[in-house]
Amino acid sequence: MINNKRIVVVMPAYNAEQTLLRTYEEIPRDVVDHVIIVDDHSTDRTLKIAAGLEGVEVLGHAVNSGYGANQKTCYRRALECGADVIVMIHPDYQYTPKLCTAIASMVAYDVYDCVLGSRILGTGALRGGMPLYKYFANRFLTMFQNVLLQEKLSEYHSGYRAFSRVALEAIPFQDNSDDFIFDNEILVQMHHGGFRIGEVSCPTRYAPESSSIGLGSSLRYGWAVVLTTLNYLLHRWNLKRSAIFSGVRSR
């Protein structure tokens, strides 16, 4: 616990047999009360390895449902088991779990409602092996959203993030996409609800065994980010209502 808040780590897993154990071993169990791994019907030994980890709750999807759908299961279960702070850590070891204490503390002490581990703050992104096309796409999309949303985030696309229970319960994340754009949709929902979003600098590690979407999926994701932002603006201006924003409760 941190500040008498129950800290739950969720790990949306898919084909992570090479990195799951290493990621799990770096989770700071002195502050983390519970770990949930949700396997999205992996085709490798991810589920078997997860089942062998001590003190971990393991859930599995009967069919491959998508990255967003996996997060929905993660967050539902974390809320059900009484989490006050929910930290999502990818099991592909692209982000170090060692920062979990810092990220969770910023939420547990009510400094922010949502905290992102940013690859862009500092010099960790390119040094950690982020492909150039992903780096520049990240910078362009972030600038685009910062201007239109009037935010000042260094990036919207990190998969390392923490949420307060109050924030997640105020967001209709179940209505979001089951695909990768889920990550962006939930941040725009947080913005819409007036929730405080903070960041910490986080080194990243791109390696062959780490999961990463390809060029085609990246292009689709980028277009979806643009559409999510435009749909939000249309909703805010009362020109076109959107289900994922209509149900957001303000902070």
Side-chain angles (χ1 to χ4, degrees), residues 4-102:
N4 292 319
K5 299 294 194 301
R6 180 171 168 80
I7 313 300
V8 174
V9 164
V10 298
M11 302 173 72
Y14 179 68
N15 288 351
E17 67 175 6
Q18 297 185 62
T19 53
L20 177 58
L21 179 59
R22 187 176 181 185
T23 306
Y24 164 80
E25 289 176 339
E26 286 194 8
I27 295 174
R29 298 308 299 264
D30 57 326
V31 297
V32 172
D33 298 281
H34 192 50
V35 177
I36 300 168
I37 297 175
V38 179
D39 178 68
D40 194 28
H41 201 66
S42 294
T43 58
D44 64 4
R45 297 174 59 250
T46 296
L47 188 58
K48 183 176 181 180
I49 292 172
L53 299 178
E54 183 178 355
V56 173
E57 179 179 356
V58 181
L59 304 175
H61 287 172
V63 296
N64 182 256
S65 304
Y67 172 62
N70 196 326
Q71 284 193 66
K72 292 175 186 180
T73 302
C74 286
Y75 297 145
R76 280 198 310 267
R77 181 57 193 145
L79 293 173
E80 288 171 358
C81 71
D84 296 304
V85 179
I86 300 92
V87 183
M88 179 176 71
I89 300 176
H90 286 181
D92 64 355
Y93 201 64
Q94 189 178 122
Y95 309 92
T96 174
K98 293 178 181 179
L99 287 175
C100 179
T101 302

Side-chain angles (χ1 to χ4, degrees), residues 181-201:
I181 193 59
F182 177 98
D183 269 352
N184 198 252
E185 289 175 336
I186 201 168
L187 289 185
V188 180
Q189 288 171 319
M190 290 282 166
H191 167 81
H192 182 48
F195 291 95
R196 301 161 298 175
I197 305 175
E199 298 178 281
V200 298
S201 178

Side-chain angles (χ1 to χ4, degrees), residues 104-193:
S105 294
M106 296 168 74
V107 177
Y109 282 98
D110 198 31
V111 178
Y112 293 105
D113 306 294
C114 170
V115 176
L116 308 176
S118 172
R119 300 163 294 179
I120 304 302
L121 288 174
T123 59
L126 293 176
R127 188 172 297 174
M130 179 184 282
L132 276 175
Y133 80 89
K134 288 193 174 185
Y135 177 81
F136 287 114
N138 184 309
R139 306 314 305 128
F140 171 78
L141 291 171
T142 295
M143 179 184 68
F144 172 80
Q145 290 196 288
N146 276 337
V147 170
L148 293 183
L149 301 180
Q150 297 182 9
E151 283 278 5
K152 292 184 178 180
L153 297 178
S154 68
E155 73 160 320
Y156 291 77
H157 316 294
S158 169
Y160 199 178
R161 45 187 66 189
F163 300 98
S164 71
R165 179 183 190 90
V166 172
L168 273 186
E169 289 182 332
I171 301 298
F173 61 84
Q174 297 286 5
D175 294 331
N176 291 0
S177 170
D178 287 341
D179 209 341
F180 289 100
I181 193 59
F182 177 98
D183 269 352
N184 198 252
E185 289 175 336
I186 201 168
L187 289 185
V188 180
Q189 288 171 319
M190 290 282 166
H191 167 81
H192 182 48

